[in-house]
Amino acid sequence: MDTIASLFSFITTPVSWVIVQFHAVYGAIFGPDTGWAWGLSIVSLVILIRICLIPLFVKQIKATRAMQTLQPEMKKIQERYKSDKQRQSEEMMKLYKESGTNPLSSCLPILAQSPFFFALYHVLNGIASGQTIGVINESLLESARKAHIFGAPLAAKFKDGADTIHALGASVTDVRVVTVVMIVLMSASQFYTQRQLMTKNVDTTVKTPFMQQQKMLMYVFPIMFAVFGINFPVGVLVYWLTTNVWTMGQQMYVIHNNPTPGSKAQAAYLERLTKHITQHGKVSRRSEKTIVKAIVTKGRDRNEFERKFINGLTKAGLAAQADGTVVKGESQAVAQAEDGTTTTATAPRRQQPKRQSKAQRQSGVSKQEDDDQPPTSLEKSDEPQDAKPAAAKQPQKPGSGTRSKAQSGQRKGGPQRPKSPSKK
């Protein structure tokens, strides 16, 4: 560890300078020789480094989202080369190269802060050995050696002997208890961070080598922290525990507000978003508009949770637009009340006609035919008699009055039809 830390000795001066500046602030509050002053200086160093790494973290999120867009293509490759694992891996790597994505992008923040970690280890190791390093002079060195965090010196290690620990003004029991508790918390926070990433924020419908790597890291990193933690000074344990807690909180924020499509976290997020939109009738934040826009753009490629989200909006009379906004659907219309208030009126549903019996249908047809026929002379006219004086004087045409004798078998104005002889 000392050899690795010496490789990053070029950054020990900036790191030691930052610690000294924070110590000057906290020393004025808690006292220059207290563990609070030096411990909070290390915590503030972690926060400063992680704030500087936020652009790299954003780049990591974008790379992760790019990996997520490749999930359908990865699934096709898995189904096509199901029996040939080697060809499957080759096609996966080819897909990564063509799309410009890197499955190891999640390790970027860890790799970026490694130089600061080893530089801090180099500084604290120099304090433990009584050597000035960077901008830490003799007076600051003596102050740091007197600082205790929960009874354990800042530069003490789990494997230090009793003589070394007594020289720092502490007991072996205090050092062992504090270091073990901090190592357990450090390993547990790292394990929880990776576990919530695998269980809540991963699309389980597609199995990729990236998922296997994440699953392996979930168990490897906590074991590494536990093994190397016994060789870390207490100050380094404070640094690493703080950065793990920061990472865990940052990961929880991302999972809650920007989950992976197809994951359990997305199902919970879209359920909350549906409830919020139906209550307020609009999308409030820009991040929500971005997610709604991405769901609308997918079209038929939406997953189960995204289709459920769109159907929920439709049932509420809302429709998601391509720009990420939400408007009222066609099933609802806005009506203006008499007092000027705006109310929502649901469009009436079209009623299906009742089914009629055969007798009703036949009577309806007969009635319609009777209505279409012109009125005969036997029917009384609705018009007054004075309105048609001329019509009353006109002679009736043959066949327009009552039934004539011709209709009963007699010929009008001609010989009578002979009767047929009766059969005996």
Side-chain angles (χ1 to χ4, degrees):
M1 182 66 69
D2 294 339
T3 304
I4 298 176
S6 62
L7 297 175
F8 297 94
S9 58
F10 65 92
I11 203 173
T12 54
T13 300
V15 169
S16 61
W17 182 84
V18 173
I19 292 178
V20 169
Q21 301 305 313
F22 281 123
H23 176 263
V25 176
Y26 294 119
I29 301 173
F30 302 102
D33 299 334
T34 59
W36 286 103
W38 286 99
L40 290 176
S41 299
I42 297 173
V43 172
S44 300
L45 173 66
V46 175
I47 295 175
L48 179 62
I49 292 173
R50 297 309 299 264
I51 290 175
C52 295
L53 292 177
I54 286 178
L56 184 61
F57 176 74
V58 173
K59 186 177 180 180
Q60 175 194 2
I61 294 297
K62 291 182 179 179
T64 305
R65 290 292 179 264
M67 288 288 297
Q68 293 166 2
T69 57
L70 298 178
Q71 297 295 326
E73 298 296 330
M74 292 179 182
K75 193 171 183 179
K76 292 179 182 178
I77 292 175
Q78 288 179 346
E79 294 176 353
R80 185 179 303 172
Y81 305 103
K82 186 182 299 183
S83 59
D84 192 351
K85 299 296 182 181
Q86 183 178 358
R87 182 64 183 278
Q88 185 181 120
S89 301
E90 292 176 357
E91 293 295 328
M92 288 286 188
M93 294 303 171
K94 184 179 179 181
L95 180 63
Y96 294 151
K97 186 176 180 180
E98 291 176 354
S99 60
T101 56
N102 186 3
L104 298 177
S105 58
S106 60
C107 300
L108 290 177
I110 297 177
L111 297 176
Q113 66 178 334
S114 296
F116 301 96
F117 166 76
F118 288 112
L120 178 63
Y121 178 85
H122 196 51
V123 170
L124 295 176
N125 191 48
I127 293 174
S129 59
Q131 298 176 358
T132 58
I133 185 170
V135 298
I136 298 179
N137 52 28
E138 292 291 341
S139 61
L140 291 173
L141 178 63
E142 187 65 23
S143 175
R145 289 176 66 85
K146 293 179 181 179
H148 289 65
I149 298 176
F150 301 109
L154 195 69
K157 305 176 185 177
F158 180 85
K159 297 178 65 175
D160 285 346
D163 296 337
T164 304
I165 294 176
H166 289 317
L168 295 173
S171 64
V172 177
T173 304
D174 292 340
V175 173
R176 298 284 171 83
V177 171
V178 171
T179 53
V180 167
V181 170
M182 296 184 72
I183 289 171
V184 170
L185 293 176
M186 183 177 62
S187 301
S189 59
Q190 180 66 34
F191 178 79
Y192 180 78
T193 300
Q194 291 296 125
R195 181 174 175 78
Q196 72 173 350
L197 181 65
M198 292 297 301
T199 57
K200 296 182 180 180
N201 204 38
V202 172
D203 187 1
T204 57
T205 60
V206 181
K207 294 183 179 180
T208 63
F210 173 72
M211 293 177 58
Q212 299 298 327
Q213 293 168 1
Q214 290 290 332
K215 188 175 182 180
M216 181 181 63
L217 293 176
M218 182 175 65
Y219 296 99
V220 170
F221 276 156
I223 295 175
M224 289 176 58
F225 287 131
V227 171
F228 292 113
I230 60 177
N231 295 314
F232 290 164
V234 174
V236 175
L237 293 178
V238 172
Y239 171 89
W240 207 248
L241 177 59
T242 306
T243 192
N244 281 0
V245 172
W246 177 284
T247 303
M248 182 174 63
Q250 189 172 255
Q251 188 70 48
M252 291 175 65
Y253 176 82
V254 172
I255 292 175
H256 187 269
N257 295 281
N258 196 10
T260 301
S263 62
K264 295 181 180 179
Q266 190 197 29
Y269 175 82
L270 292 180
E271 185 176 353
R272 296 192 306 269
L273 184 59
T274 304
K275 187 180 297 183
H276 173 77
I277 294 176
T278 53
Q279 288 179 354
H280 298 84
K282 63 179 181 178
V283 182
S284 303
R285 294 185 294 180
R286 183 181 299 177
S287 59
E288 295 175 350
K289 290 184 179 180
T290 303
I291 292 177
V292 174
K293 180 179 179 181
I295 293 175
V296 174
T297 306
K298 285 185 178 181
R300 295 183 178 180
D301 295 333
R302 301 187 188 108
N303 57 45
E304 178 185 357
F305 309 128
E306 294 167 347
R307 289 193 295 268
K308 186 177 179 182
F309 168 72
I310 296 296
N311 293 335
L313 294 181
T314 304
K315 291 180 180 179
L318 302 172
Q321 303 300 305
D323 58 351
T325 59
V326 174
V327 297
K328 294 185 181 299
E330 296 179 355
S331 60
Q332 289 189 350
V334 177
Q336 194 75 18
E338 295 180 358
D339 55 355
T341 59
T342 303
T343 57
T344 304
T346 306
R349 298 176 61 184
R350 189 173 65 179
Q351 305 245 348
Q352 295 290 339
K354 294 182 179 180
R355 188 170 182 177
Q356 298 178 347
S357 62
K358 186 176 180 181
Q360 291 176 341
R361 290 196 298 270
Q362 290 178 352
S363 62
V365 172
S366 302
K367 184 178 180 181
Q368 184 177 3
E369 291 178 354
D370 293 341
D371 293 341
D372 294 339
Q373 290 179 359
T376 59
S377 60
L378 296 176
E379 298 177 354
K380 293 183 180 181
S381 176
D382 295 336
E383 296 181 2
Q385 296 180 0
D386 297 340
K388 297 188 292 182
K393 298 179 181 180
Q394 291 181 358
Q396 293 185 353
K397 295 181 181 180
S400 61
T402 58
R403 293 182 61 185
S404 62
K405 295 181 179 180
Q407 292 179 346
S408 61
Q410 297 181 359
R411 294 179 181 270
K412 186 177 180 180
Q416 299 293 328
R417 179 182 299 174
K419 295 182 179 181
S420 59
S422 60
K423 294 182 181 181
K424 294 183 179 179

